[in-house]
Amino acid sequence: MRHLSYLLVLAGCLAAAIWLEPVLRTGVLRRWRRLALTVLPVAAVFVCWDAAAVAAGHWHYDPGQLLGVTLPGRLPLEEILFFLVVPLCAVLGFEAVRKVLAR
C-alpha cells in the first residue's frame, strides 16, 4: 500500500480541484489546446531536468514508494504524473479565482 500513497496524493489534489470545472464553469478542460500549451512545455522542461539529475546521480527515487513503472530517462510514472496533475490543479484554481473575482 505504501507505493500507492504518492498516487493517492495526486488523486486527492485532482479531486480537490476538478470540481471547480463544472461548478464554476471555468472552461479549462473545454479549452484543452490552451491547457496543453500551458502545461506541456513546462512539464517537458522539468522531465528533462529530472532525467538529467537522475543520470548524473544527483537525484533518485525510493523504489519502495513507487509502483515500479519506469519510463525513459529512468523516471517513474508518478513523477511524470506529478508534472501534469499539479499544474492542471493550479490552472483550475487560478481560473476559478478569476471567475469568482469577475463576478
Side-chain angles (χ1 to χ4, degrees), residues 59-95:
W59 191 254
H60 70 278
Y61 302 95
D62 179 7
Q65 300 286 331
L66 305 171
L67 290 174
V69 178
T70 304
L71 301 171
R74 297 189 331 217
L75 295 179
L77 173 64
E78 293 89 342
E79 189 71 0
I80 307 300
L81 291 175
F82 175 82
F83 291 134
L84 298 174
V85 170
V86 172
L88 170 60
C89 294
V91 170
L92 284 165
F94 177 78
E95 290 298 331

Side-chain angles (χ1 to χ4, degrees), residues 12-101:
C13 178
L14 194 55
I18 200 72
W19 67 272
L20 297 167
E21 180 74 9
V23 172
L24 296 177
R25 294 187 179 105
T26 58
V28 170
L29 299 179
R30 187 175 60 242
R31 296 176 296 187
W32 63 270
R33 284 185 193 100
R34 186 177 190 179
L35 178 64
L37 287 172
T38 302
V39 172
L40 294 180
V42 176
V45 168
F46 281 104
V47 164
C48 291
W49 187 347
D50 270 14
V54 168
H58 297 298
W59 191 254
H60 70 278
Y61 302 95
D62 179 7
Q65 300 286 331
L66 305 171
L67 290 174
V69 178
T70 304
L71 301 171
R74 297 189 331 217
L75 295 179
L77 173 64
E78 293 89 342
E79 189 71 0
I80 307 300
L81 291 175
F82 175 82
F83 291 134
L84 298 174
V85 170
V86 172
L88 170 60
C89 294
V91 170
L92 284 165
F94 177 78
E95 290 298 331
V97 169
R98 281 180 27 144
K99 189 81 167 192
V100 169
L101 291 179

